[in-house]
Amino acid sequence: GESVGLHLPTLSVQEGDNSIINCAYSNSASDYFIWYKQESGKGPQFIIDIRSNMDKRQGQRVTVLLNKTVKHLSLQIAATQPGDSAVYFCAENYSGNTPLVFGKGTRLSVIA
Amino acid sequence: EAEVAQSPRYKITEKSQAVAFWCDPISGHATLYWYRQILGQGPELLVQFQDESVVDDSQLPKDRFSAERLKGVDSTLKIQPAELGDSAMYLCASSLTGLGETQYFGPGTRLLVL
């Protein structure tokens, strides 16, 4: 399939290692954050979300960390698998009916 | 698991032609979004519907783009006339109420304008 992004930052990890993908968000008033995974030729797939009243949230093999002081969000993937290879986007939202703003994606490449 | 449906998946057209994309959101989702994603970038909102009403179309190029959601369920996005720069992935998403909630995306329609 075609590439989702051609000139994105790329993170290469060995299968089984942990991955950390970082995102700097823009609006200090944003109070809801989402990580999406996008495979080639597909739409973004919801992974995990976090609200601003939390600084950490865990899912299955994934953890999201939020540092409001420096407006930084990270996604940690434990025991990275080949199926995790994709482009990952963070998105931020301000309370109410406002647009979801996507950050620049990061391409994760898992080396078997 | 309920999903957002989109069709067609791929569309090739010549410039100055009209194209239309269809989206069926997750059942019960009041809010529907159309995004455009250029290769290498994140999705950018074109239009947002709350039921059948447009709540944000500030980024929709209204001279050539139109969107409707007549019965508050499925939606159509139209481009007339298409231009070379319209080549992109067009994504539809939906959320339950739209108020700071998760948006679920469809598979997208890949448009190529020749």
Side-chain angles (χ1 to χ4, degrees), chain A residues 12-19 61 77-81 84 110-111:
Chain A
S12 296
V13 298
Q14 287 289 138
E15 180 179 0
D17 286 353
N18 296 334
S19 303
R61 279 202 310 120
I77 305 174
T80 312
Q81 303 169 0
D84 295 327
V110 181
I111 305 165

Side-chain angles (χ1 to χ4, degrees), chain B residues 8-61:
Chain B
R9 293 295 311 280
Y10 304 93
K11 179 69 177 179
I12 300 175
T13 191
E14 294 183 341
K15 62 181 181 181
S16 80
Q17 296 298 303
V19 292
F21 313 131
W22 177 80
C23 172
D24 192 13
I26 293 172
S27 178
H29 280 197
T31 311
L32 184 148
Y33 312 82
W34 283 102
Y35 288 86
R36 177 169 58 187
Q37 184 177 29
I38 296 170
L39 204 60
Q41 299 180 20
E44 294 182 331
L45 182 71
L46 291 173
V47 61
Q48 177 183 341
F49 288 92
Q50 188 69 25
D51 298 309
E52 67 277 6
S53 302
V54 173
V55 296
D56 185 352
D57 63 355
S58 57
Q59 300 304 310
L60 188 71

Side-chain angles (χ1 to χ4, degrees), chain B residues 75-87:
Chain B
S75 175
T76 302
L77 177 69
K78 297 179 181 178
I79 308 175
Q80 183 173 16
E83 295 180 353
L84 296 177
D86 296 332
S87 295

Side-chain angles (χ1 to χ4, degrees), chain A residues 2-8 32 34 36 38 41-46 49 51 89 93-105, chain B residues 9-10 31 33 35 37-45 48 50 55-56 89 91 97-108 110:
Chain A
E2 64 180 298
S3 298
V4 170
L6 299 177
H7 301 292
L8 296 169
Y32 180 56
I34 310 173
Y36 286 95
Q38 189 171 25
K42 298 183 179 180
Q45 175 189 357
F46 170 83
D49 59 1
R51 298 198 182 271
F89 290 99
N93 183 241
Y94 175 65
S95 288
N97 229 358
T98 56
L100 201 59
V101 177
F102 283 79
K104 296 178 181 179
Chain B
R9 293 295 311 280
Y10 304 93
T31 311
Y33 312 82
Y35 288 86
Q37 184 177 29
I38 296 170
L39 204 60
Q41 299 180 20
E44 294 182 331
L45 182 71
Q48 177 183 341
Q50 188 69 25
V55 296
D56 185 352
M89 172 81 92
L91 294 161
T97 66
L99 299 176
E101 291 184 344
T102 304
Q103 296 180 22
Y104 296 93
F105 284 82
R110 169 67 68 187

Side-chain angles (χ1 to χ4, degrees), chain A residues 70-91:
Chain A
V70 295
K71 294 191 290 186
H72 184 267
L73 198 65
S74 69
L75 176 70
Q76 301 178 2
I77 305 174
T80 312
Q81 303 169 0
D84 295 327
S85 294
V87 177
Y88 289 80
F89 290 99
C90 65

